[in-house]
Amino acid sequence: MVGDTYKYKGLRRQLVSSLEGKGIVDQRVLAAIGSIPRHAFFDDSAFERFAYEDKPFPIGSGQTISQPYTVAFQTQLLGVSPGMNVLEIGTGSGYQTAVLCTLGAKVHSVERHKPLHLATRLRLDRMRYRALLVYGDGFKGLAQFAPFDRVLVTCGAPDVPRALLDQLKPQGRMVIPVGVGDDQRMLLIRPDGKGAHSVEDHGLFRFVPMLENRVP
Ligand code: SAH
């Protein structure tokens, strides 16, 4: 793996046990986080040493790599099994994408910020994570690869985009932080089989905003 060291492996083990302490129980999610070199997702190696603190971090272009706890919580809620067709909105650094790949999902990930999209494509290629990365507007989803077993939104959405609901399988699940301003509610959404959806609230989180109509 990309410049992994015993020191980073040790820090990763500590991060995993701190996530367990905070209530993450899904062993596959914990194993994925334990195996992925998060430091390789930082764009400036001078800050790598912060990679195994349970904190979000700036990744350039005014964006952030999500806090490990948030990644673990969202992924646990999503409930991914190998082979599932998954859509992620907000590729960012690609760290969450790598977690989904490690769980055996077929990942499609959309990013609206072109330089970030290009840099992350290069990074994931080099690290041998195979995901389909698309430069585009997450509000539209990816109709050509739908329907999805799982949809994961990693930016704060003003509401639940209709297109994303429409691209979900009848047995599917969507995890999406919804709310304008600083705080979002983490929602788990499932089609109820009668044309409507059930919504479960999993508490407050903080994300960078999901922006609409900013892609040329
Ligand atoms: N999953 C990422 C989190 C990155 S932060 C990680 O693990 O690093 C959220 C990302 O969502 C940012 O990169 C931001 O540019 C992107 N984003 C915001 N609005 C978007 C939209 N409408 N479509 C696609 N991506 C969007």
Side-chain angles (χ1 to χ4, degrees):
M1 254 320 165
V2 183
D4 209 6
T5 63
Y6 283 112
K7 184 175 161 223
Y8 285 146
K9 282 182 185 148
L11 291 173
R12 237 174 7 250
R13 270 197 295 276
Q14 285 174 27
L15 172 64
V16 166
S17 48
S18 91
L19 295 175
E20 274 185 298
K22 292 175 186 175
I24 303 298
V25 292
D26 186 323
Q27 292 303 315
R28 293 178 58 241
V29 172
L30 292 167
I33 288 174
S35 76
I36 299 171
R38 188 169 183 264
H39 63 273
F41 292 82
F42 280 43
D43 60 351
D44 184 341
S45 58
F47 299 115
E48 275 183 15
R49 61 204 155 92
F50 299 116
Y52 299 104
E53 292 181 8
D54 189 18
K55 290 184 182 151
F57 206 83
I59 51 169
S61 313
Q63 300 306 324
T64 57
I65 178 169
S66 300
Q67 181 178 346
Y69 176 74
T70 303
V71 171
F73 189 87
Q74 284 198 289
T75 313
Q76 176 170 279
L77 212 50
L78 202 63
V80 177
S81 308
M84 277 186 174
N85 198 34
V86 176
L87 173 65
E88 177 191 19
I89 306 299
T91 316
S93 69
Y95 179 70
Q96 171 75 71
T97 314
V99 171
L100 295 170
C101 288
T102 303
L103 292 172
K106 214 171 132 200
V107 189
H108 308 78
S109 185
V110 182
E111 171 57 54
R112 63 164 283 276
H113 203 283
K114 196 158 201 183
L116 205 51
H117 159 75
L118 293 172
T120 297
R121 161 171 291 178
L122 209 63
R123 168 182 294 133
L124 290 178
D125 271 358
R126 281 201 192 113
M127 296 178 79
R128 305 268 186 271
Y129 290 109
R130 290 164 60 83
L132 189 106
L133 304 187
V134 176
Y135 165 59
D137 180 4
F139 278 90
K140 299 189 173 73
L142 281 180
Q144 65 274 43
F145 298 102
F148 296 102
D149 298 287
R150 300 289 185 259
V151 173
L152 175 59
V153 178
T154 69
C155 37
D159 50 26
V160 183
R162 184 74 233 177
L164 300 185
L165 287 176
D166 291 344
Q167 292 173 24
L168 205 53
K169 285 188 188 174
Q171 306 300 324
R173 288 184 186 197
M174 183 186 325
V175 172
I176 178 169
V178 175
V180 183
D182 279 347
D183 294 319
Q184 287 82 34
R185 313 248 23 139
M186 187 68 77
L187 304 184
L188 170 61
I189 297 179
R190 281 182 274 210
D192 67 1
K194 299 175 216 144
H197 298 85
S198 74
V199 178
E200 249 174 57
D201 187 332
H202 288 268
L204 276 179
F205 285 80
R206 182 162 288 197
F207 284 84
V208 299
M210 183 173 186
L211 300 172
E212 197 163 12
N213 296 326
R214 305 292 180 88
V215 176

